[in-house]
Structures are given as structure tokens and as C-alpha cells.
Amino acid sequence: MNKQDQNIKLQVLICTLGEAGIKRTVEAHHPNVPEVEYLVSWQLPDGDVEIPEELERRRDFKIFKNNTRGLSKNRNIALSLATASYCLISDDDLDYSEDGLLQIIQKFEDDPELDIATFKYSGNDCKFYPDFSFDLRKPPKGYFISSVEIAFRRNKIIESQIKFNENFGIGAKFPAGEEDIWLHDLLKKRLKGYFYPIIIAHHEGLTTGLRLADNPALIITKGAVFAHTHRWSWPLRMIVHAKKNTSFSMYHYCKYWIAGFKLVIKNKI
């Protein structure tokens, strides 16, 4: 570990895929911030691509190539490569602010017992956030997590031995839900997690969940996620979600949800 590495407190774990993904990484805003480093886990399953010069010349970027597919697999690779005390999960199309990144570090420095911290991002999807902090074990109604909001104390995650379930996430059997399962499993290990109403990044466009809102695959995925996170209360939760949904009839919504649940139970995912 060189002197620069020793000064790094926070690593932003950027997962990307292919030539288009690294181009998005170049175009996104990554401020040069003392004590912050950007670790890029770059999937190249279809052949090698040269690292763009714009990233090659930045001392605060580390780029690691691999030939795998699947977002959760890539997140696990990024986590295995991380070395900083604190890490932030990221994608290749987020614009960061210096203040937001420094506030992440400050939250962990202020509370040595804090293991997981979630934050806010701004964007076009009008996502709901409460204006107060809360324990992640007791989230307020309407709150849901996005992976790029999650920061964590690296050593506690390593000690937990909890990894992203590679059956979930873009490029996997179920195209979303990996962050819900990961966070659920970490909190079951009694790790301390809090939400803070602080904007750390900006994201243009819609998240995967919102883009797939009218796709049966998302409902199937919800059933699969709830089979893992709410093994006994899922029927009631399914009915509540079905009543709120406007894209499918109650029958079809429940049919898709149950299909996802059965896949998890049958295949022991």
C-alpha cells in the first residue's frame, strides 16, 4: 500500500460493463476530493478495451478489468478489491459533489459504531425520501432503498460474509432486487444502519425499478425478493402491492408475484 492509498478513507465502487459503460464513467462528474478514490470494476465479457486516457491519467481512479457478466457478480468483485475504511456503492452514470462525498466520510467518523449509511440522490424519478434520519430496521412507509445510496464500513461487511445474491440484479435471473436482499441480510446480522437525508449524487433518467415498472419481470422479481426477505408475511404484502398497482389486474399481479416466490423456493435461491 503506497502513501496515497493510506490517505484514502472512502472508495466509490463503480461497476460498469463494456465500452459503453466506461464511456458513461468518463462523462459522469467525479470530483477530485482529498481522501476519496474511485474504484472501477469493469466487466469485459466480449473482449478487451483500452482504458480511456481521461481515466488513465487520474491518480484518484483505479480500474480493474474482469470478463464476467451480471451486476451483482461485479459488485462482489468490487467489494473484494476495495481497501478503504468506507465504501460507497455506485454505478457508471452518477454525478457526485465534493460536499456529498465528504459528508459520507464525516458520518462514519462521527459514529464509530455506524456500519451502514444510506443517503439521497437527486434526479428525474421523483423518489420519495423522508426529511429525517431513521434506523434502517424501522423504515417509514413509502421508503425504499436504491443500491447507489448505500455506504458502509468495509471491515464490518467483510466480517459479516454477506455478499450480493448473484441471482438478482441486471444480467441475472431476476433483473433487480439485489440491494434489498443484501441490506436485509446485513441488518439480520445486527449491523447498525441509518438513513441520512443528505444528497450525495445526481442521476439523470429512471432507475431500473422504475424503467421496469410495467414489466411482468419486475413483479416476478418482487415475489422472489419477498420470498427471501418476508418469508411468512408475503401474501398480505402481495395483496397490498397489487391494490396499489395500476398496470395489471389483481389476478395477473398476484400470478406474477407467486411465480417469483415459487422460483426461489423451488431452486433454493
Side-chain angles (χ1 to χ4, degrees):
M1 181 180 290
N2 60 38
K3 186 175 181 181
Q4 184 185 6
D5 292 334
Q6 292 174 345
N7 293 331
I8 299 301
K9 290 185 176 180
L10 172 68
Q11 283 177 316
V12 182
L13 307 184
I14 301 170
C15 287
T16 192
L17 170 68
E19 190 168 4
I22 205 68
K23 183 179 178 181
R24 287 191 295 271
T25 305
V26 170
E27 294 172 348
H29 181 60
H30 301 102
N32 195 321
V33 183
E35 302 179 328
V36 174
E37 183 174 74
Y38 302 96
L39 188 158
V40 182
S41 184
W42 186 11
Q43 289 177 311
L44 290 166
D46 299 318
D48 195 24
V49 176
E50 288 190 7
I51 298 173
E53 183 181 346
E54 297 94 327
L55 301 182
E56 189 82 86
R57 63 173 177 249
R58 287 192 59 167
R59 295 188 64 203
D60 58 345
F61 264 77
K62 283 186 176 178
I63 301 176
F64 299 89
K65 299 178 180 180
N66 67 78
N67 61 4
T68 67
R69 291 184 186 273
L71 180 56
S72 286
K73 185 178 291 292
N74 208 14
R75 296 229 189 274
N76 285 332
I77 291 172
L79 180 55
S80 72
L81 294 167
T83 55
S85 295
Y86 320 125
C87 297
L88 172 67
I89 297 174
S90 181
D91 287 336
D92 55 27
D93 55 355
L94 288 156
D95 296 321
Y96 288 100
S97 68
E98 178 175 359
D99 180 65
L101 295 173
L102 289 175
Q103 288 203 63
I104 294 172
I105 295 173
Q106 195 61 52
K107 286 299 178 185
F108 285 104
E109 301 276 279
D110 288 344
D111 185 354
E113 295 184 356
L114 180 66
D115 302 315
I116 305 164
T118 67
F119 300 91
K120 300 168 56 174
Y121 68 84
S122 60
N124 301 328
D125 52 14
C126 301
K127 183 174 178 181
F128 162 77
Y129 292 103
D131 58 3
F132 54 89
S133 296
F134 58 83
D135 188 321
L136 291 173
R137 292 184 185 84
K138 301 175 182 178
K141 187 176 181 180
Y143 173 78
F144 66 93
I145 194 71
S146 297
S147 58
V148 297
E149 299 163 356
I150 306 173
F152 54 88
R153 195 178 298 273
R154 186 181 61 86
N155 69 319
K156 295 306 290 282
I157 302 303
I158 298 299
E159 288 173 8
S160 76
Q161 299 185 326
I162 300 296
K163 296 182 178 182
F164 281 92
N165 187 321
E166 295 179 5
N167 292 292
F168 293 82
I170 296 171
K173 182 189 297 289
F174 303 104
E178 73 281 2
E179 63 269 58
D180 298 283
I181 291 174
W182 190 66
L183 187 61
H184 172 269
D185 290 350
L186 289 172
L187 295 176
K188 277 188 69 176
K189 288 276 189 176
R190 298 191 178 279
L191 271 68
K192 178 180 178 180
Y194 272 81
F195 165 80
Y196 300 98
I198 298 170
I199 294 175
I200 59 169
H202 179 79
H203 179 262
E204 288 292 332
L206 301 178
T207 60
T208 301
L210 291 173
R211 288 199 311 272
L212 294 176
D214 296 329
N215 190 323
L218 185 66
I219 314 305
I220 293 171
T221 297
K222 282 188 176 182
V225 169
F226 276 66
H228 184 94
T229 61
H230 298 89
R231 180 62 61 92
W232 307 114
S233 62
W234 67 267
L236 178 59
R237 294 172 186 274
M238 176 184 68
I239 292 170
V240 171
H241 280 250
K243 286 181 177 179
K244 293 179 180 178
N245 184 270
T246 58
S247 300
F248 302 94
S249 67
M250 174 78 77
Y251 169 78
H252 283 99
Y253 190 97
C254 294
K255 179 181 177 181
Y256 294 137
W257 183 301
I258 292 170
F261 183 90
K262 286 181 176 179
L263 282 170
V264 169
I265 301 303
K266 180 180 179 180
N267 295 296
K268 298 180 180 180
I269 294 173

